[in-house]
Amino acid sequence: MQSKTEAIIISSINLGEADKLVTFFSLDRGMLKGVAKNARKSFKRFGAGLESFTLVRAHLYEREHQELARIESVDIIEQHASIGSDLGRAASGAVMLELVRELSPLGERNAQAFLLLSHILHLLDEGEGPLFLLNIFKIKFLSLLGYQPKLDHCLSCGSQPKGEMVFLGMKGGILCPACMVSSGEPQVTLSPGAVGFYYQALRMEMDKISRLKPSNSIVRELDRAFSDHTFHILGKRLKSTEFLKAVLPPAGR
Ligand SMILES: [Zn+2]
């Protein structure tokens, strides 16, 4: 069965002598994997269209009960070339792609998540702040996949956050200082400013998102909370966050 869909290339690795195994996030069918036959030789059918971050129209051929599609050819819609040429943008984008790959179920359509990634990569390519965009992406993407943390009230007593709250990654929620029994471990805290920014960003339309100007400390707070949250969702750390820390260390944020 032949089909075509808009897709964002997550990764492509060499397969055998001439082929590539491509992982991509598609508008119509969510995460998919496919083989691009002869991709390393046929510039005409693929060109630079299998590079990570590229938005393409992919022409597919699929057979029932086969996990891998065949990618017949791709047309580049947006190359997003400046993401790969800047370390900070590349590192931030790599975390986004890893989150998509780890959290999106294979073959399950999520058009809103696709449009979000496409929009964020466009802004990243245009030079908008990489850490700001990564935060926005995490806030909206986790919510679209059903992993939205609950930050509007204490998980235990239900009180609304007035001062600093403690974030519990394992529960994806917050506790007020009165309910928190300290274990002596370092805590991830969220200020009212960070919680306020979270809900503002969650509700704001993507075409207005650049109006938001969070302080560095809010970006850092949310970054720590989300790292903790995704660690508990995935049961492991994202590999690409090491690269991000090396390129954009917290002190410089
Ligand atoms: Zn409480």
Side-chain angles (χ1 to χ4, degrees):
M1 184 186 73
Q2 279 181 316
S3 65
K4 61 182 173 188
T5 178
E6 277 187 37
I8 291 160
I9 307 295
I10 305 287
S11 67
S12 60
I13 55 171
N14 291 341
L15 187 72
E17 290 283 295
D19 307 341
K20 277 184 183 252
L21 175 63
V22 186
T23 304
F24 53 103
F25 191 50
S26 70
L27 172 61
D28 294 343
R29 308 255 311 285
M31 279 283 294
L32 291 176
K33 288 179 186 214
V35 174
K37 286 265 175 209
N38 242 346
R40 279 139 74 198
K41 291 180 182 152
S42 176
F43 196 79
K44 190 163 157 257
R45 285 187 298 137
F46 299 107
L50 300 177
E51 304 280 329
S52 300
F53 305 117
T54 310
L55 172 64
V56 298
R57 184 166 299 102
H59 301 265
L60 307 174
Y61 179 81
E62 288 171 281
R63 268 195 233 146
E64 244 183 293
H65 310 302
Q66 254 181 10
E67 202 188 319
L68 291 176
R70 196 164 80 204
I71 305 172
E72 302 277 2
S73 65
V74 298
D75 310 316
I76 296 174
I77 300 171
E78 273 192 70
Q79 180 78 70
H80 298 140
S82 80
I83 298 177
S85 63
D86 175 277
L87 275 180
R89 287 180 212 165
S92 164
V95 177
M96 297 176 196
L97 296 191
E98 192 178 355
L99 268 175
V100 172
R101 184 171 52 204
E102 291 290 340
L103 289 177
S104 308
L106 272 178
E108 227 169 83
R109 177 185 161 94
N110 190 331
Q112 279 181 293
F114 174 86
L115 295 172
L116 170 68
L117 181 65
S118 169
H119 204 139
I120 292 266
L121 291 181
H122 177 77
L123 294 176
L124 189 62
D125 188 55
E126 290 204 318
E128 183 74 71
L131 288 173
F132 167 71
L133 288 176
L134 180 57
N135 253 298
I136 298 293
F137 179 75
K138 286 178 178 173
I139 290 169
K140 290 182 175 288
F141 183 72
L142 290 178
S143 165
L144 289 173
L145 273 101
Y147 297 111
Q148 183 187 338
K150 297 267 176 294
L151 306 182
D152 56 348
H153 61 268
C154 169
L155 286 172
S156 178
C157 72
S159 70
Q160 290 187 347
K162 292 188 188 76
E164 202 157 77
M165 305 289 271
V166 178
F167 180 75
L168 299 179
M170 199 167 60
K171 302 213 189 273
I174 52 174
L175 284 180
C176 72
C179 294
M180 183 68 203
V181 181
S182 177
S183 61
E185 302 265 309
Q187 293 169 341
V188 178
T189 56
L190 286 175
S191 64
V195 171
F197 173 77
Y198 171 82
Y199 283 105
Q200 204 182 4
L202 186 64
R203 291 179 189 127
M204 189 163 279
E205 305 276 346
M206 272 308 294
D207 55 359
K208 300 191 183 88
I209 210 78
S210 298
R211 292 182 194 173
L212 291 174
K213 304 278 179 233
S215 68
N216 288 345
S217 71
I218 283 180
V219 172
R220 266 200 302 273
E221 281 178 58
L222 288 174
D223 188 52
R224 270 198 296 268
F226 274 110
S227 296
D228 212 26
H229 189 41
T230 47
F231 173 75
H232 284 283
I233 295 169
L234 296 171
K236 62 180 180 185
R237 297 256 171 237
L238 294 171
K239 288 186 207 135
S240 50
T241 52
E242 292 305 315
F243 177 34
L244 182 70
K245 273 185 210 154
V247 175
L248 296 170
R253 292 182 190 181

mmCIF file with all atom_site columns, all heavy atoms in Angstrom, residues 154 157 159 176 179, ligand 1:
data_model
loop_
_atom_site.group_PDB
_atom_site.id
_atom_site.type_symbol
_atom_site.label_atom_id
_atom_site.label_alt_id
_atom_site.label_comp_id
_atom_site.label_asym_id
_atom_site.label_entity_id
_atom_site.label_seq_id
_atom_site.pdbx_PDB_ins_code
_atom_site.Cartn_x
_atom_site.Cartn_y
_atom_site.Cartn_z
_atom_site.occupancy
_atom_site.B_iso_or_equiv
_atom_site.pdbx_formal_charge
_atom_site.auth_seq_id
_atom_site.auth_comp_id
_atom_site.auth_asym_id
_atom_site.auth_atom_id
_atom_site.pdbx_PDB_model_num
ATOM   1  N  N  . CYS A 1 154 ? -1.288 21.198 46.337 1.00 0.00 ? 154 CYS A N  1
ATOM   2  C  CA . CYS A 1 154 ? -0.508 20.205 47.082 1.00 0.00 ? 154 CYS A CA 1
ATOM   3  C  C  . CYS A 1 154 ? -1.185 18.833 46.965 1.00 0.00 ? 154 CYS A C  1
ATOM   4  O  O  . CYS A 1 154 ? -2.399 18.716 47.142 1.00 0.00 ? 154 CYS A O  1
ATOM   5  C  CB . CYS A 1 154 ? -0.426 20.631 48.547 1.00 0.00 ? 154 CYS A CB 1
ATOM   6  S  SG . CYS A 1 154 ? 0.242  19.353 49.634 1.00 0.00 ? 154 CYS A SG 1
ATOM   7  N  N  . CYS A 1 157 ? -2.610 17.927 50.909 1.00 0.00 ? 157 CYS A N  1
ATOM   8  C  CA . CYS A 1 157 ? -3.669 18.690 51.578 1.00 0.00 ? 157 CYS A CA 1
ATOM   9  C  C  . CYS A 1 157 ? -4.507 19.521 50.605 1.00 0.00 ? 157 CYS A C  1
ATOM   10 O  O  . CYS A 1 157 ? -5.517 20.094 50.993 1.00 0.00 ? 157 CYS A O  1
ATOM   11 C  CB . CYS A 1 157 ? -3.084 19.590 52.667 1.00 0.00 ? 157 CYS A CB 1
ATOM   12 S  SG . CYS A 1 157 ? -2.161 20.994 52.031 1.00 0.00 ? 157 CYS A SG 1
ATOM   13 N  N  . SER A 1 159 ? -3.858 22.369 49.226 1.00 0.00 ? 159 SER A N  1
ATOM   14 C  CA . SER A 1 159 ? -3.708 23.830 49.255 1.00 0.00 ? 159 SER A CA 1
ATOM   15 C  C  . SER A 1 159 ? -3.018 24.325 47.985 1.00 0.00 ? 159 SER A C  1
ATOM   16 O  O  . SER A 1 159 ? -2.218 23.612 47.378 1.00 0.00 ? 159 SER A O  1
ATOM   17 C  CB . SER A 1 159 ? -2.913 24.250 50.490 1.00 0.00 ? 159 SER A CB 1
ATOM   18 O  OG . SER A 1 159 ? -1.572 23.850 50.360 1.00 0.00 ? 159 SER A OG 1
ATOM   19 N  N  . CYS A 1 176 ? 3.234  20.915 49.639 1.00 0.00 ? 176 CYS A N  1
ATOM   20 C  CA . CYS A 1 176 ? 3.538  22.159 50.340 1.00 0.00 ? 176 CYS A CA 1
ATOM   21 C  C  . CYS A 1 176 ? 4.522  21.841 51.473 1.00 0.00 ? 176 CYS A C  1
ATOM   22 O  O  . CYS A 1 176 ? 4.644  20.678 51.869 1.00 0.00 ? 176 CYS A O  1
ATOM   23 C  CB . CYS A 1 176 ? 2.261  22.804 50.871 1.00 0.00 ? 176 CYS A CB 1
ATOM   24 S  SG . CYS A 1 176 ? 1.536  21.936 52.265 1.00 0.00 ? 176 CYS A SG 1
ATOM   25 N  N  . CYS A 1 179 ? 3.312  19.630 54.365 1.00 0.00 ? 179 CYS A N  1
ATOM   26 C  CA . CYS A 1 179 ? 3.049  18.211 54.114 1.00 0.00 ? 179 CYS A CA 1
ATOM   27 C  C  . CYS A 1 179 ? 4.322  17.431 53.797 1.00 0.00 ? 179 CYS A C  1
ATOM   28 O  O  . CYS A 1 179 ? 4.304  16.200 53.787 1.00 0.00 ? 179 CYS A O  1
ATOM   29 C  CB . CYS A 1 179 ? 2.066  18.044 52.964 1.00 0.00 ? 179 CYS A CB 1
ATOM   30 S  SG . CYS A 1 179 ? 0.433  18.669 53.337 1.00 0.00 ? 179 CYS A SG 1
HETATM 31 ZN ZN . ZN  B 2 .   ? 0.052  20.279 51.725 1.00 0.00 ? 1   ZN  B ZN 1
#
